[in-house]
Amino acid sequence: MLDQLNALEQEGLAQLAAVADSESLEAWRVKHLGRNAQLAELMTGLGALPAAEKPLAGKRANEVKRALEAAFAEKAEGLRQAELAQAAERDAVDVTLPGRPAPAGRLHPNTVVLRRLYAVFADMGFQIYRSGDVETDLMNFELLNFPKDHPARDMQDSFYTNEPNVVLRTHTSPGQIHAMRASAPNPVRAILPGWCYRYEQITARSEVQFLQIEGIVVGPGIRMSDLKGTLTDMARRLLGPDVRTRFRADYFPFTEPSAEMDVECFVCGGKGCSVCKQSGWLEILGCGMVHPTVLRNGGYDPDQVSGFAFGMGPQRILMLSHRITDIRQFLQNDLRFLEQF
Ligand code: PHE
């Protein structure tokens, strides 16, 4: 019995010395200290020994068990330290290496062009107003002097809601009325940016949802020359100090006279190219002197004040300047498109 115990101790310690990782350590533990280990079996057999041998064998068995347990604990701690040291080495951070830059987000081109225009208009003394995307028929059409049978009121062009006479605004021009009513009888000089909605077939050239910026200026003695001067100055601030502009007669129910402003093609510099269709000019906004009826609807006396208004499509300016050929890109959020800005 004593020989067997000595042999078990030697064998156990020898095998433990060869253990190099926690997996084989666990296997060792099961084999030498587990419930079915030879040592455990011997200890169960102690009871069957003759009384004279019992005390000595029992003592020795406990010694062997404690020796193996102590060696095991020491080995486990050694392995744990070694594994920690290894992990520390493996995961070491070289603080002298340059960092990996985190991918940075960027502003959406819609935001970029709007902010650019806000800055230009703010420098020129314009306030920025907001008005809602949902308007009544009264605001969107009636007060802007649209005749009852105007085609823009057609169900085909406007998104009507379940509420009678409530539409998604088809342009930012109802903002003119809001801005005038908030200011009358005092002068007003404001822009109103926002989304507009038209019930149209979606193509590369037309979206059902697009941005507009409305402008409204009302005060005593405002004339057509103020409109031309202000908008030409705006174009120069936006596109460069030498850019030329021209005004062509047009028609809007809420302005009289009405015009469209063209800027010299900023792609070819006016020589003629595919972007300006060889004309040298790009149309960028609609404008005009606020119709007396609209001034009255805004709360002003047309005998005391006059004003001008304009409406532009910021996305159109971006499309022209960046040669974007598909307006749908502005709402698709395709990163391949967005990352180019
Ligand atoms: N609301 C017009 C449009 O959507 C643009 C415009 C605004 C024209 C203000 C004149 C004055 O086309």
Side-chain angles (χ1 to χ4, degrees), residues 170-173 176 198 212 214-215 252 254-255 286-288 309-311:
T170 57
H171 53 175
T172 44
S173 296
Q176 290 182 28
R198 287 186 197 168
Q212 274 195 351
E214 193 77 11
F252 299 103
F254 36 93
T255 47
C287 56
F310 54 90

Side-chain angles (χ1 to χ4, degrees), residues 24-152:
S24 24
L25 180 65
E26 176 60 11
W28 182 94
R29 191 192 62 77
V30 171
K31 181 171 169 203
H32 296 274
L33 290 169
R35 249 183 301 124
N36 299 319
Q38 255 181 294
L39 180 62
E41 262 168 49
L42 281 185
M43 289 174 99
T44 334
L46 281 173
L49 284 180
E53 284 178 35
K54 242 189 244 178
L56 203 57
K59 185 166 165 266
R60 184 70 191 124
N62 277 324
E63 275 169 14
V64 169
K65 185 162 187 245
R66 252 179 270 124
L68 288 179
E69 276 170 354
F72 170 81
E74 196 181 319
K75 185 77 182 184
E77 178 60 16
L79 277 182
R80 204 179 66 84
Q81 294 294 346
E83 276 166 16
L84 267 181
Q86 248 176 31
E89 181 142 336
R90 191 178 54 236
D91 302 338
V93 175
D94 181 349
V95 291
T96 65
L97 283 177
R100 259 166 261 144
R106 64 195 80 203
L107 294 176
H108 193 283
N110 288 338
T111 309
V112 174
V113 71
L114 282 178
R115 290 195 181 173
R116 178 92 192 84
L117 284 159
Y118 296 164
V120 166
F121 281 110
D123 281 351
M124 296 172 72
F126 282 76
Q127 286 182 278
I128 301 174
Y129 280 33
R130 289 265 175 211
S131 66
D133 294 21
V134 182
E135 289 283 7
T136 54
D137 181 276
L138 182 74
M139 280 287 174
N140 196 75
F141 298 120
E142 194 86 34
L143 297 174
L144 290 168
N145 203 30
F146 275 82
K148 281 262 181 266
D149 56 357
H150 194 283

